[in-house]
């Protein structure tokens, strides 16, 4: 058992780590319309640029699964968090598509590495304590998203400029990750044996579901502001409000997520969440006024809130392959959704418009509900 003092410190460090990852990612979302205007690119080119973020994330995850098995999660978490802090201001000043693409790739590397490492660390803490903790940790990620999106949106609205806004956010990220690092517990993530094993089909199923979920979440972060602005529902300076509300609802759902899962189970949690998401997407697509669209973002955030925590927990519980490698497979599958999603959404938006693209996201999430029972059966 972990001593109470060490456990409290370890929980704080892990929560700060999840906060940093969410904060860093969401701080980029309000900058998307500004980057599009600065570079004078269309939706298709913007989608290709956003593809660079997903590519960097997937590359980092493949490497992190190997490095974590030898060195543990702590140094990877520190490097990823500091990377986010250093690269974020560069996103605000990249003045050509090539430079923005390269910067997004580096940003994705930092996001991918910290994402794998922090989830492995969280699984180890759940095992060490025998408590359900994953939704609570992901709640801090969502709180980070709310804070990051709100911080940049507020600073830009106050005419602070995108560079100054991101510099302030980078300082906050640095303080948080430096505070978290010494508090992270030394876990059993180091392992001997093969650096790679062929993923089991049940783990691959979870990875596919994670990919769909991350695709939806990434679309909300990358495209929600543009949807609201281009439909003249909100002004450009306030475009990040949709993402902020989505993140608030996701954080609220995750704060109660562990209790909900304990009461109704993983399968019912996934199915209930999917119903809320589909309803929310219908509201977003059909909204004639901003209020209805924003209510839709709230429903989508609430519905999606516990999908990823449940999938990560299932990966930690399975016994067909090492948990650390399974987490790497799940997160890699998740970011594959981010890899394919931005370019796909951009192409669909270019051809049919953003409302149609968001409607297709709602249809994709129904696959998660249909696959929930199959996933649970595969892990008995």
């Amino acid at each position: 058992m972990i001593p109470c003092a060490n456990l409290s410190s370890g929980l704080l460090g892990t929560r700060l780590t999840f906060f940093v990852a969410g904060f860093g990612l969401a701080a980029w979302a309000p900058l998307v319309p500004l980057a599009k205007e600065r570079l004078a690119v269309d939706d298709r080119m913007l989608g290709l640029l956003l593809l660079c973020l997903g590519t960097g994330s997937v590359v980092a995850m493949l490497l992190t699964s190997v490095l974590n098995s030898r060195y543990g999660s702590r140094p990877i978490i520190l490097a990823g968090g500091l990377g986010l802090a250093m690269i974020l201001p560069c996103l605000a000043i990249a003045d050509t598509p090539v430079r923005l693409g390269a910067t997004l790739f580096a940003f994705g590397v930092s996001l991918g590495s910290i994402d794998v490492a922090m989830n492995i660390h969280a699984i180890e803490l759940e095992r060490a304590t025998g408590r359900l903790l994953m939704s609570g940790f992901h709640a801090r990620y969502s709180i980070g998203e709310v804070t990051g999106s709100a911080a940049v949106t507020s600073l830009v609205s106050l005419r602070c400029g995108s560079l100054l806004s991101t510099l302030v956010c980078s300082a906050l990220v640095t303080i948080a990750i430096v505070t978290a690092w010494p508090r992270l517990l030394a876990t059993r993530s180091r392992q001997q044996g093969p650096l790679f094993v062929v993923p089991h089909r049940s783990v691959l199923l979870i990875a596919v579901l994670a990919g769909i979920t991350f695709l939806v979440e990434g679309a909300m972060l990358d495209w929600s502001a543009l949807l609201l602005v281009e439909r003249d529902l909100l002004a450009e300076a306030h475009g990040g409000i949709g993402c902020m509300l989505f993140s608030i609802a996701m954080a609220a759902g995750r704060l109660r997520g562990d209790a909900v899962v304990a009461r109704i189970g993983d399968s019912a949690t996934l199915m209930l969440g999917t119903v809320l998401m589909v309803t929310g997407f219908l509201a977003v697509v059909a909204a004639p006024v901003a209020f209805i669209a924003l209510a839709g973002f709230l429903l989508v955030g609430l519905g999606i809130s516990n999908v990823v925590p449940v999938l990560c927990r299932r990966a930690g519980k399975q016994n067909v392959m090492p948990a650390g490698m399974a987490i790497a497979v799940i997160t890699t599958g998740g970011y594959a959704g981010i890899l394919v999603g931005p370019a796909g959404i951009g192409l669909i938006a270019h051809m049919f418009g953003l409302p149609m693209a968001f409607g297709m996201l709602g249809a994709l999430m129904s696959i998660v509900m249909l696959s929930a029972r199959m996933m649970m059966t595969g892990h008995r």
Side-chain angles (χ1 to χ4, degrees):
M1 291 294 293
I2 301 174
C4 290
N6 291 343
L7 176 59
S8 297
S9 181
L11 290 174
L12 174 60
T14 307
R15 287 165 180 162
L16 283 173
T17 298
F18 275 80
F19 176 87
V20 163
F23 186 99
L25 178 59
W28 155 243
L31 300 176
V32 174
L34 301 178
K36 181 183 180 183
E37 180 181 7
R38 183 171 69 250
L39 301 181
V41 296
D42 59 16
D43 288 342
R44 181 169 52 182
M45 176 58 69
L46 182 60
L48 293 175
L49 289 172
L50 295 174
L51 182 68
C52 296
L53 190 152
T55 303
S57 297
V58 170
V59 169
M61 286 173 177
L62 294 174
L63 294 175
T64 300
S65 64
V66 175
L67 294 174
N68 189 88
S69 66
R70 291 292 182 254
Y71 304 109
S73 57
R74 292 180 67 195
I76 301 172
I77 289 172
L78 178 64
L82 292 178
L84 293 177
M86 291 186 292
I87 298 168
L88 181 59
C90 300
L91 295 173
I93 60 175
D95 55 359
T96 68
V98 172
R99 289 176 181 172
L100 180 59
T103 306
L104 283 170
F105 180 88
F107 195 66
V109 168
S110 296
L111 284 171
S113 59
I114 195 173
D115 201 299
V116 172
M118 72 187 188
N119 277 290
I120 294 175
H121 195 83
I123 288 293
E124 294 288 346
L125 279 178
E126 277 203 334
R127 288 182 171 179
T129 61
R131 295 164 53 187
L132 293 176
L133 300 170
M134 189 61 74
S135 289
F137 288 144
H138 281 264
R140 273 64 185 186
Y141 182 93
S142 298
I143 292 171
E145 287 184 320
V146 173
T147 308
S149 178
V152 175
T153 300
S154 299
L155 290 170
V156 170
S157 297
L158 293 173
R159 302 184 184 279
C160 293
S162 56
L163 178 58
L164 177 59
S165 301
T166 52
L167 285 172
V168 171
C169 291
S170 292
L172 296 175
V173 167
T174 301
I175 293 171
I177 200 65
V178 170
T179 302
W181 181 68
R183 291 172 168 79
L184 297 175
L185 300 181
T187 65
R188 298 173 296 173
S189 57
R190 295 179 181 84
Q191 60 188 38
Q192 301 301 320
L195 296 178
F196 176 80
V197 296
V198 177
H200 190 271
R201 62 179 180 275
S202 60
V203 176
L204 288 176
L205 173 60
I206 302 177
V208 170
L209 300 183
I212 294 172
T213 306
F214 272 66
L215 188 157
V216 172
E217 186 173 342
M220 299 298 285
L221 292 172
D222 290 334
W223 294 99
S224 61
L226 281 175
L227 178 68
L228 292 169
V229 171
E230 292 186 355
R231 294 189 63 199
D232 294 324
L233 297 175
L234 290 176
E236 183 179 86
H238 303 139
I241 293 177
C243 176
M244 183 174 63
L245 291 176
F246 165 78
S247 299
I248 289 173
M250 189 160 59
R254 286 174 172 175
L255 284 172
R256 294 291 302 166
D258 292 323
V260 171
V261 172
R263 183 178 181 86
I264 68 175
D266 288 342
S267 181
T269 300
L270 291 179
M271 288 188 283
L272 176 61
T274 304
V275 171
L276 291 175
M277 276 184 282
V278 172
T279 304
F281 274 117
L282 288 174
V284 169
V285 171
V289 294
F291 175 79
I292 296 177
L294 295 178
F297 283 121
L298 284 171
L299 286 177
V300 174
L302 187 61
I304 205 171
S305 60
N306 290 299
V307 174
V308 172
V310 167
L311 295 178
C312 288
R313 182 177 295 113
R314 300 307 300 183
K317 286 183 176 181
Q318 56 78 38
N319 55 12
V320 295
M321 65 184 296
M325 293 184 182
I327 289 294
V329 171
I330 302 312
T331 50
T332 301
Y335 273 82
I338 293 179
L339 179 66
V340 175
I345 296 298
L347 179 61
I348 295 171
H350 181 75
M351 296 173 62
F352 304 107
L354 271 176
M356 176 64 73
F358 271 69
M360 293 184 67
L361 292 176
L364 275 176
M365 280 311 302
S366 65
I367 298 176
V368 176
M369 179 176 65
L370 295 174
S371 303
R373 185 174 298 276
M374 184 187 305
M375 182 186 71
M376 300 306 160
T377 302
H379 284 269
R380 286 177 182 174

